[in-house]
């Protein structure tokens, strides 16, 4: 494929360039001396740099014409980047002014993950004076990206390039595993832009837990301190390139932003980085999709995913710009993009109707419970606070619970019997999280609507989490948004088995009205049960008698 700056070139020159295209040459080296000489003379004649992108079978895949100081490498659609591997293409190009490898050359090597980048330095006669070759290094503790091959004589090359690259890729894989615990797949970099270090560490720690809950192996976390995020790339472009280069070097599959990306930011970053890009919202949606088991839960997740996807449909994929028509259709018809958008809108409308029907059924069930005058207690709290474990222990149930964020999403209601033939319905809800995405709030509104009919809320807090105070604030903020802040609530500190006695004493002084338990130890439940019984039954009797 011939590309680049071919304007004003003679037809005879273009024919010579086209002859190079798809040409296969025999050599064990980076380039044969004959081809290097031919390339140099042609480059001198037109006074422009010429580059060749050569595959591992020594077949020329791209011929690129630049100006007298640089070349521009086209999009390499046919040679997709595989995490942990090199591109399978090497760039050999001419330098007209005897200058060595430039910073742009090294950037192309690292960002495009090329097998190598070679510069042929041309002398006054238009012949190769020497060749300089840079290649990528395997992952290392020093974060060194590349090295230069010792050989510079075009006519006396000694390195068998095919064997060299084969051994290099093997070393890349081995060092990725031994030094950085890179797995075969699902490796992730966590990145974000924050106003201060404290915020960065807290946010990325939570993002790491989310990634772990999604089944990802977190390789590294990187952040940038800025008062305002970059409107185009979130991070500065230099920082983003460094992250991408490091991610390529380690064979990372995902770069996950703690910041929520706008559709335009996601597009611009994807143009620059050939690794799957995700943001915090998408990661949470993926976890929800894995965890939802009931029909209703699956519908809610699908609805949230479609709402997230809708504004992110772009014309980046060439197939989306093809025009489609139908029999009897006028004009060019709808574009693929328009059809996709219309289908998503129709699906959103269908799912919304279906969820409303489910909500009606739930309303009927609630009314039946109200008629029977069975009090309801709803458990709320930050994700992974131990809500499901608590309801399992209280009611001898076996609802799935795990030490993961959003381990359970589907609403569960169980009976809890008290003495004097009294009983309550205790209901588990989806875990809360800071900055809960709006689409998720809407999608799970019906789950949270259970809270409006509750007689009492149990706000469960993971006391072993060092950010428990901020988690309490996040839950209270969401309850306030739902107009539930004034509802009768018991603050329940869970996981007391994970803190020392001195810390427990301090927390009890700070929160004298709270109850302290371990959801794994039923012996700690009596104060909680007494408080529930008092608030549900004794308190009601007092109000009734007065």
């Amino acid at each position: 494929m011939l590309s680049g700056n071919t304007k004003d070139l003679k037809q005879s020159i273009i024919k010579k360039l086209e002859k190079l295209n798809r040409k296969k040459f025999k050599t064990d080296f980076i380039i044969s001396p004959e081809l290097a000489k031919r390339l140099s003379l042609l480059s001198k004649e037109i006074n422009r740099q010429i580059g060749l992108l050569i595959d591992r079978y020594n077949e020329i895949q791209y011929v690129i014409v630049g100006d007298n100081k640089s070349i521009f490498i086209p999009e390499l659609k046919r040679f997709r980047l595989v995490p942990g591997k090199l591109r399978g293409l090497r760039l050999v190009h001419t330098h007209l002014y005897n200058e060595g490898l430039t910073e742009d050359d090294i950037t192309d090597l690292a960002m495009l993950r090329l097998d190598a980048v070679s510069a042929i330095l041309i002398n006054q006669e238009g012949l190769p004076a020497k060749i300089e070759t840079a290649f990528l290094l395997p992952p290392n503790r020093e974060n060194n990206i590349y090295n230069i091959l010792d050989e510079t004589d075009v006519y006396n090359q000694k390195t068998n390039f095919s064997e060299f690259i084969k051994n290099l890729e093997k070393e890349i894989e081995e060092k990725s595993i031994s030094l950085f615990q890179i797995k075969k797949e699902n490796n992730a970099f966590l990145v974000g832009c924050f106003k201060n270090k404290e915020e960065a560490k807290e946010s990325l720690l939570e993002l790491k837990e989310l990634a772990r809950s999604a089944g990802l192996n977190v390789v590294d976390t990187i952040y940038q301190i800025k008062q305002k995020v970059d409107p185009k790339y979130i991070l500065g472009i230099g920082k983003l390139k460094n992250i991408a280069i490091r991610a390529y070097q380690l064979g990372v599959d995902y770069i996950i932003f703690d910041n929520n990306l706008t559709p335009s930011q996601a597009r611009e970053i994807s143009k620059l980085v050939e690794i799957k890009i995700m943001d915090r919202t998408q990661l949470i949606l993926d976890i929800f999709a894995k965890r939802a088991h009931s029909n209703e839960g699956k519908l809610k997740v699908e609805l949230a995913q479609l709402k997230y996807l809708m504004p992110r449909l772009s014309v980046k994929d060439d197939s989306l710009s093809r025009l489609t028509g139908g029999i009897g259709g006028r004009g060019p018809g709808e574009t693929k993009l328009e059809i996709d958008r219309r289908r998503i809108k129709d699906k959103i409308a269908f799912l919304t109707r279906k969820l409303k029907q489910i909500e009606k059924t739930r309303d009927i069930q609630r009314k039946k419970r109200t008629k029977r005058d069975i009090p309801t207690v709803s458990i709320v709290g930050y994700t992974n606070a131990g809500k499901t474990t608590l309801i399992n222990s209280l009611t001898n149930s076996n609802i799935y619970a795990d030490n993961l964020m959003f381990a359970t999403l589907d609403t569960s209601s169980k009976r809890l019997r008290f003495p004097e033939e009294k009983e309550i319905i205790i209901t588990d809800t989806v875990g809360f999280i800071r900055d809960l995405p709006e689409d998720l709030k809407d999608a799970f509104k019906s789950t949270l609507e259970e809270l409006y009919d509750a007689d009492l809320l149990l706000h469960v807090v993971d006391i072993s989490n060092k950010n428990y105070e901020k988690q309490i604030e996040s839950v209270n903020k969401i309850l306030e948004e739902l107009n539930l802040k004034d509802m009768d609530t018991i603050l329940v500190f869970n996981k007391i088995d994970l803190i020392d006695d001195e810390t427990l004493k301090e927390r009890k002084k700070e929160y004298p009205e709270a109850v302290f338990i371990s959801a794994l130890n039923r012996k700690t439940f009596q104060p909680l049960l007494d408080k529930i019984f008092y608030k549900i039954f004794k308190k009601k009797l007092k109000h009734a008698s007065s």
Side-chain angles (χ1 to χ4, degrees):
M1 182 184 292
L2 178 61
S3 69
N5 182 24
T6 57
K7 189 179 179 183
D8 300 327
L9 288 180
K10 292 178 183 177
Q11 196 61 37
S12 59
I13 297 293
I14 289 176
K15 282 185 178 179
K16 287 179 182 179
L17 290 166
E18 286 175 341
K19 276 186 180 180
L20 292 173
N21 193 33
R22 285 286 188 178
K23 186 177 179 64
K24 191 170 183 177
F25 58 92
K26 289 184 178 180
T27 185
D28 291 328
F29 310 120
I30 291 169
I31 189 170
S32 66
E34 295 80 14
L35 182 58
K37 183 178 177 181
R38 186 175 167 189
L39 193 67
S40 300
L41 289 168
L42 195 54
S43 181
K44 182 74 173 178
E45 184 179 352
I46 64 175
N47 195 35
R48 299 179 193 182
Q49 288 190 10
I50 301 174
L52 304 177
L53 281 168
I54 306 166
D55 67 20
R56 293 184 187 176
Y57 300 99
N58 290 329
E59 192 168 321
I60 298 170
Q61 296 290 337
Y62 295 84
V63 179
I64 310 161
V65 181
D67 54 29
N68 62 346
K69 290 184 179 179
S70 63
I71 60 170
F72 178 76
I73 298 175
E75 194 173 347
L76 306 175
K77 289 183 180 179
R78 291 185 292 118
F79 295 86
R80 294 208 165 186
L81 198 57
V82 177
K85 299 285 184 182
L86 299 174
R87 178 81 65 170
L89 291 174
R90 63 187 183 271
L91 171 65
V92 182
H93 67 304
T94 56
H95 278 191
L96 295 165
Y97 303 115
N98 206 35
E99 74 275 27
L101 288 164
T102 65
E103 192 177 324
D104 287 342
D105 291 332
I106 301 303
T107 301
D108 287 340
L109 171 71
M111 289 297 292
L112 297 175
R113 200 82 180 143
L114 298 171
D115 289 357
V117 170
S118 299
I120 299 174
L121 282 56
I122 301 175
N123 63 20
Q124 292 295 322
E125 289 75 36
L127 296 171
K130 66 176 184 177
I131 185 169
E132 289 188 3
T133 299
F135 61 92
L136 293 169
L137 287 171
N140 54 83
R141 298 289 186 193
E142 296 76 27
N143 289 342
N144 294 325
I145 303 298
Y146 72 98
N147 204 353
I148 304 290
L149 211 61
D150 291 335
E151 309 179 352
T152 58
D153 190 345
V154 178
Y155 305 100
N156 190 27
Q157 299 173 63
K158 293 177 181 177
T159 301
N160 184 313
F161 190 73
S162 178
E163 287 297 317
F164 177 80
I165 288 299
K166 187 178 177 182
N167 292 332
L168 179 61
E169 277 201 324
K170 186 178 179 182
E171 192 179 354
I172 287 170
E173 184 178 359
E174 287 173 353
K175 288 199 173 177
S176 294
I177 295 168
S178 62
L179 291 178
F180 298 96
Q181 286 76 53
I182 302 295
K183 296 180 179 178
K184 286 189 176 180
E185 57 184 12
N186 293 333
N187 299 295
F189 257 20
L190 309 183
V191 303
C193 182
F194 306 95
K195 291 182 179 179
N196 56 67
K197 283 187 178 181
E198 186 182 350
E199 181 192 356
K201 288 176 181 177
E202 287 178 7
S203 296
L204 288 175
L205 187 64
E206 183 173 271
L207 189 65
K208 190 173 183 178
E209 277 302 302
L210 284 168
R212 187 178 71 85
S213 299
L216 298 176
N217 175 42
V218 176
V219 176
D220 202 358
T221 56
I222 302 171
Y223 60 86
Q224 188 174 46
I225 305 300
K226 288 176 74 175
Q227 290 307 303
K228 286 187 178 180
V229 299
D230 187 283
K232 194 172 184 180
Y233 297 112
I234 296 289
L235 310 169
I237 189 168
K239 186 75 172 180
L240 185 59
K241 281 184 177 180
N242 289 339
I243 289 169
I245 290 167
R246 186 71 176 146
Y248 293 145
Q249 190 183 34
L250 293 174
V252 166
D253 303 275
Y254 302 93
I255 294 178
I256 303 175
F257 285 80
D258 188 69
N259 314 80
N260 286 324
L261 303 176
T262 65
S264 61
Q265 285 169 340
R267 281 195 295 271
E268 291 303 321
I269 294 169
S270 295
K271 286 178 188 176
L272 191 70
V273 180
E274 289 186 71
I275 293 175
K276 291 175 184 176
I277 302 297
M278 295 175 71
D279 64 9
R280 190 170 177 274
T281 298
Q282 192 176 352
L283 180 61
I284 293 172
L285 281 169
D286 282 359
I287 295 170
F288 276 37
K290 280 185 176 183
R291 301 280 191 270
H293 297 296
S294 68
N295 184 44
E296 182 185 2
K298 289 174 182 177
L299 289 175
K300 290 171 187 171
V301 171
E302 188 178 358
L303 181 61
Q305 286 177 321
L306 290 173
K307 285 182 177 179
Y308 177 85
L309 177 65
M310 184 72 178
R312 286 164 175 77
L313 282 176
S314 72
V315 291
K316 186 179 177 186
D317 187 349
D318 289 343
S319 67
L320 294 179
S321 63
R322 293 175 188 161
L323 297 177
T324 60
I327 296 171
R330 294 182 180 181
E334 290 181 292
T335 64
K336 176 75 163 56
L337 180 63
E338 287 167 349
I339 290 170
D340 286 346
R341 280 184 175 148
R342 181 164 50 79
R343 282 175 178 165
I344 287 177
K345 282 180 182 177
D346 291 345
K347 192 69 185 280
I348 287 172
F350 170 75
L351 291 174
T352 303
R353 286 196 302 270
K354 206 161 186 178
L355 282 169
K356 281 182 179 176
Q357 290 173 357
I358 292 172
E359 283 173 24
K360 284 181 182 177
T361 306
R362 186 184 282 112
D363 284 339
I364 293 168
Q365 290 172 345
R366 279 200 211 107
K367 285 173 183 175
K368 283 182 180 178
R369 284 206 300 262
T370 306
K371 280 181 182 179
R372 292 167 66 182
D373 200 26
I374 302 176
T376 303
V377 175
S378 287
I379 301 179
V380 297
Y382 211 80
T383 180
N384 205 25
K387 300 182 299 299
T388 307
T389 304
L390 177 58
I391 197 172
N392 279 340
S393 297
L394 283 169
T395 61
N396 290 320
S397 305
N398 58 354
I399 304 165
Y400 173 73
D402 204 341
N403 184 27
L404 297 170
M405 301 185 91
F406 302 114
T408 51
L409 295 179
D410 300 317
T411 303
S412 303
S413 296
K414 299 291 178 182
R415 287 176 185 267
L416 177 61
R417 297 188 183 278
F418 283 91
E420 303 174 24
E421 296 186 3
K422 295 189 181 296
E423 64 179 14
I424 63 170
I425 300 292
I426 189 160
T427 303
D428 189 16
T429 58
V430 64
F432 292 4
I433 195 168
R434 66 175 177 85
D435 304 325
L436 189 70
E438 287 301 319
D439 287 342
L440 288 181
K441 281 183 189 175
D442 293 340
F444 283 81
K445 188 179 176 183
S446 57
T447 300
L448 299 176
E449 276 179 358
E450 291 279 345
L451 304 177
Y452 292 106
D453 296 313
D455 297 278
L456 177 67
L457 298 183
L458 299 186
H459 179 176
V460 180
V461 181
D462 177 3
I463 198 172
S464 67
N465 190 304
K466 65 178 183 179
N467 296 317
Y468 75 91
E469 288 176 318
K470 289 188 177 180
Q471 292 183 352
I472 291 172
E473 286 176 19
S474 296
V475 173
N476 287 338
K477 185 181 176 183
I478 294 172
L479 290 174
E480 189 174 355
E481 288 173 5
L482 296 167
N483 296 318
L484 291 164
K485 191 182 178 185
D486 297 326
M487 184 170 282
D488 205 2
T489 305
I490 299 175
L491 189 61
V492 182
F493 282 100
N494 186 26
K495 305 187 185 181
I496 59 171
D497 51 313
L498 300 180
I499 61 172
D500 58 70
D501 293 339
E502 192 61 36
T503 304
L504 181 58
K505 283 179 183 177
E506 289 175 12
R507 299 294 173 266
K508 284 182 176 180
K509 285 180 183 178
E510 289 174 27
Y511 298 91
E513 296 298 317
V515 178
F516 295 80
I517 66 161
S518 167
L520 297 174
N521 185 357
R522 293 171 63 87
K523 292 178 181 178
T524 64
F525 288 178
Q526 197 56 50
L528 174 61
L529 294 170
D530 290 344
K531 203 153 192 173
I532 293 171
F533 188 82
Y534 172 77
K535 283 185 174 285
I536 292 292
F537 300 110
K538 293 285 181 71
K539 202 173 179 182
K540 277 187 177 180
L541 287 172
K542 278 187 179 181
H543 284 304
S545 61
S546 61

